[in-house]
Amino acid sequence: YVWPRAARGGLVGADRHGGLRLHRLASLRRDPTPGDVVLDVANYPTYFRHLHRGEIIDAADAARDPRTAELSHFLAPNGIRAMLDVPMFLSGELRALLCFELADRPREWTPEEMSFARALAQIAVQALLTRERIHDLEALRQSEQRLRLAQRAAGVGSWEWRADGDAVWWSDHLYALFGVTPDRVTPSMEAFLGLVHPDDRLRVRQALADAVARGDGAQFDYRLIRPNGDERCFLEASHVERDPSGRALRIIGTALDITERRQQAQRIEELAFYDNLTGLPNRALFADRIERCIAVSRRLHTGFALLFLDLDNFKQVNDSLGHSQGDALLREVARRLMICLREQDTVSRLGGDEFVILLPGLTDTDAVAAVAHRLLGALRAPVQLGEIEVTASTSMGISCFPEDGEDAETLIRNADTAMYAAKASGRDGMSFFTPSMNAQAVRRLSIEAGLRRALEREEFELHYQPVFAIKAGQVYGAEALLRWHDPARGLIPPGEFLGVAEQ
């Protein structure tokens, strides 16, 4: 079939407001510029009403046809006499218009021309649909690529589990995070659980089962062991999709590698609650442990023992061998103490060469004494510090809850008092606290305070005791003795203050 020579055709695309914008045109219109608005809905309501209904406008005389008469001022300048316009819809919306125009005279459009226009419009619709699908696929590809890059940068992998057929999908980055490859591991729940640390496996399985049962998401952390033995920590977050009946259709989840974050948190905790030299709990953490132990003991009507240790002659090691060797000695003492204790016990370094040990649930004095003797024996073994062998003996004081105190401060103070009693008894030994020790400690503090005041007030006197040569019967010298003359008490017996003064 041959079209009249005066006939031209073109394709006009709809804009986002519903009007028609020139897309590609070969017609009799005068030099249209692509992108110019050709027709808009507001000015041509009748014309657009027919198009939006999906009608083909076959106007034999476009100036007189009621469907196109409102276009007359547009048609005449462009020399258009007859029009055949076929609307094209995508997803229920007017997306384009296939236009045919005659310029020489009004005339009816033949059935062949009408059929050709419909067929051509269908081809054009398929072309537009294909172009949009290609565009959507490219947009999806770019979106997925951006998502993969974002997940890789954030250390996140994604996964999906479908209830029908138990199918599981892992993202490429999830394989990398788990340290496996698609050719060696087929994604499945059992494959995932096989990588989870054995100690966490039951908890993870239960968390996923609970998420499906409740119908909401789950968030939990777990350890995973890669095939090369590397252990990593992950934070899992998942969402359950359900059908209208409430049946789980699939679970969508993400796995975030939090290994470095966990290590940083552990490092911060170590700096805050652990001794940097020995790795033992520091004073702050020990205070928390003893308060917890007191609370549990009160609730269960039980008790515990507290041991206060101080190394004998540690200052000599520091002064003679140097602080680095002194630090080495402290680390070895901490190691030996840890070996001798139970898992539930706590050993802490308070500072310097002072250690405290908490023995929860241990109230029998014989049992406590047995532990103390075991610790003393472990510490007596020689320690090699460079080329010198040192024996690290210790003095130990013991207090028990609740007999020797019902709060942490009292228990520590009384164990410290008992430790000084052990030192006074010859060192390298232990001593249980007794109330008389407290009286002695108070008296000692009183003497120390009195000595300081006596020094300021010049209450000390020198007494000279002659020394005789028996055979010659002559005085050959004198022993100078320091005496304390208190204005209120008179002369204080030497035995009361000289020992304290020497220390």
Side-chain angles (χ1 to χ4, degrees):
Y1 178 77
V2 180
W3 284 82
R5 285 191 306 170
R8 296 290 187 272
L11 183 66
V12 178
D15 64 13
R16 60 190 180 94
H17 301 294
L20 297 176
R21 184 178 294 276
L22 189 62
H23 179 71
R24 184 171 61 251
L25 187 66
S27 72
L28 300 177
R29 300 173 189 174
R30 297 174 181 174
D31 300 326
T33 302
D36 288 346
V37 175
V38 178
L39 302 174
D40 61 81
V41 179
N43 293 325
Y44 309 102
T46 303
Y47 176 68
F48 275 100
R49 185 168 63 251
H50 289 283
L51 291 179
H52 287 151
R53 290 174 182 172
E55 299 177 9
I56 296 178
I57 297 179
D58 52 340
D61 188 348
R64 297 179 179 275
D65 192 301
R67 297 171 296 181
T68 57
E70 59 189 11
L71 304 175
S72 58
H73 73 284
F74 172 77
L75 301 175
N78 288 281
I80 301 173
R81 305 297 301 277
M83 294 176 58
L84 177 59
D85 292 351
V86 184
M88 295 184 294
F89 291 83
L90 287 177
S91 301
E93 295 182 0
L94 178 65
R95 300 295 296 275
L97 186 67
L98 186 63
C99 304
F100 295 95
E101 303 161 351
L102 286 173
D104 54 352
R105 58 182 174 79
R107 68 182 283 278
E108 297 288 338
W109 297 92
T110 67
E112 291 84 358
E113 292 169 346
M114 298 277 288
S115 177
F116 173 78
R118 290 192 188 94
L120 190 58
Q122 291 176 0
I123 295 172
V125 166
Q126 290 299 320
L128 290 175
L129 183 61
T130 300
R131 187 187 68 174
E132 288 202 355
R133 285 179 176 173
I134 292 174
H135 180 270
D136 291 343
L137 288 173
E138 177 62 21
L140 178 61
R141 186 190 67 80
Q142 293 180 0
S143 176
E144 289 178 344
Q145 184 179 18
R146 286 193 293 269
L147 178 60
R148 285 194 298 269
L149 292 174
Q151 288 184 345
R152 186 176 296 110
V156 177
S158 55
W159 57 271
E160 179 181 330
W161 169 81
R162 290 186 173 274
D164 52 340
D166 201 31
V168 177
W169 169 85
W170 290 354
S171 68
D172 293 341
H173 194 52
L174 189 64
Y175 280 104
L177 291 175
F178 286 176
V180 297
T181 55
D183 59 329
R184 291 182 175 270
V185 176
T186 301
S188 67
M189 277 298 172
E190 292 306 316
F192 162 65
L193 291 171
L195 294 170
V196 173
H197 193 287
D199 294 343
D200 297 345
R201 198 168 294 159
L202 181 62
R203 179 171 57 83
V204 171
R205 187 189 294 273
Q206 189 62 48
L208 292 171
D210 291 344
V212 174
R214 292 192 309 267
D216 56 5
Q219 183 167 313
F220 52 89
D221 60 272
Y222 59 89
R223 292 167 295 171
L224 181 138
I225 301 178
R226 291 173 172 174
N228 63 0
D230 184 21
E231 183 176 309
R232 308 292 292 179
C233 296
F234 286 89
L235 177 63
E236 194 82 20
S238 61
H239 170 71
V240 180
E241 288 189 358
R242 295 183 170 274
D243 61 15
S245 67
R247 185 174 63 91
L249 296 176
R250 63 175 180 167
I251 303 179
I252 301 173
T254 59
L256 172 64
D257 189 338
I258 59 171
T259 306
E260 283 72 21
R261 185 191 307 175
R262 182 68 57 83
Q263 290 172 347
Q264 290 173 0
Q266 290 175 349
R267 180 57 181 159
I268 292 173
E269 182 180 359
E270 289 174 0
L271 292 173
F273 297 111
Y274 290 88
D275 177 47
N276 190 45
L277 177 64
T278 62
L280 297 176
N282 62 12
R283 186 184 295 269
L285 183 54
F286 182 78
D288 179 72
R289 296 271 178 90
I290 193 171
E291 290 295 343
R292 290 174 182 268
C293 198
I294 290 173
V296 171
S297 298
R298 284 175 177 165
R299 186 171 64 252
L300 301 180
H301 304 288
T302 59
F304 61 88
L306 178 70
L307 282 58
F308 197 107
L309 289 72
D310 185 89
L311 299 184
D312 298 327
N313 303 318
F314 178 71
K315 187 175 183 300
Q316 294 179 7
V317 175
N318 263 347
D319 293 344
S320 59
L321 302 181
H323 288 280
S324 61
Q325 297 297 350
D327 290 346
L329 177 60
L330 291 174
R331 285 192 291 268
E332 177 61 18
V333 168
R335 187 189 70 81
R336 294 185 184 185
L337 292 176
M338 289 293 295
I339 292 175
C340 295
L341 297 174
R342 304 169 299 174
E343 185 177 354
Q344 64 266 37
D345 299 333
T346 297
V347 55
S348 170
R349 178 178 175 238
L350 295 186
D353 60 338
E354 293 181 340
F355 296 83
V356 285
I357 298 174
L358 197 60
L359 304 175
L362 212 56
T363 57
D364 181 71
T365 54
D366 291 337
V368 175
V371 174
H373 283 300
R374 185 166 68 248
L375 293 172
L376 290 171
L379 295 179
R380 287 192 191 107
V383 179
Q384 192 70 34
L385 298 178
E387 299 179 355
I388 299 178
E389 192 175 74
V390 176
T391 301
S393 65
T394 185
S395 297
M396 185 184 306
I398 305 170
S399 63
C400 297
F401 176 88
E403 296 85 0
D404 301 328
E406 296 191 359
D407 60 82
E409 182 180 357
T410 303
L411 288 166
I412 295 174
R413 183 178 66 247
N414 289 343
D416 187 21
T417 299
M419 183 271 296
Y420 276 105
K423 282 188 180 292
S425 299
R427 306 192 176 195
D428 191 23
M430 66 166 188
S431 178
F432 281 87
F433 173 78
T434 62
S436 62
M437 292 179 181
N438 198 37
Q440 293 173 3
V442 172
R443 188 162 55 249
R444 174 191 172 88
L445 289 174
S446 176
I447 292 173
E448 285 187 7
L451 286 173
R452 295 182 188 280
R453 289 194 302 270
L455 189 62
E456 295 173 357
R457 298 172 182 175
E458 299 182 351
E459 296 175 0
F460 294 106
E461 301 175 351
L462 279 176
H463 288 204
Y464 297 95
Q465 178 168 294
V467 180
F468 284 87
I470 300 298
K471 290 182 179 182
Q474 294 178 349
V475 175
Y476 74 89
E479 181 182 6
L481 304 175
L482 185 69
R483 293 294 183 260
W484 178 12
H485 189 276
D486 185 275
R489 298 169 57 192
L491 283 173
I492 307 298
E496 286 191 22
F497 76 90
L498 281 180
V500 179
E502 289 173 353
Q503 292 185 6

